[in-house]
Amino acid sequence: MMITPSIEQLTQGKFNRYALVIATAKCARIVTDEYVAQREEAEKKIADKKTEKTLASQIDRDIRDNKAVENAVQRLYKGDFNVVLPEEATTEQLK
């Protein structure tokens, strides 16, 4: 299955495919961490009997229903995440 948008739409001639792959992987890790945090919080609420909602209903639908890489690509395309090349990065961004 192909993920849209295309590589050309994502890079817009500003950076190469390698930079896109690295940025997508880092974004996917952030998405996965968000999912884990939401799931842990939901499980804790259920265990403590603080909610009657199901586990799935307490997790953001995009994170729950789509793969992390697909979410990362969509967030890069929408501008939620930006690709910062090493030569453009400040010392703080490289940490």
Side-chain angles (χ1 to χ4, degrees), residues 10 19-29 68-70 72-73 76 83:
L10 288 166
L20 178 63
V21 168
I22 299 301
T24 303
K26 288 182 178 186
C27 293
R29 184 74 234 166
V69 171
E70 186 175 351
V73 168
L76 282 166
V83 178

Side-chain angles (χ1 to χ4, degrees), residues 66-90:
N66 298 327
K67 298 203 182 289
V69 171
E70 186 175 351
N71 278 322
V73 168
Q74 292 301 322
R75 289 181 182 191
L76 282 166
Y77 185 65
K78 288 189 282 184
D80 295 343
F81 293 119
N82 296 314
V83 178
V84 178
L85 301 174
E87 58 270 6
E88 298 172 352
T90 63

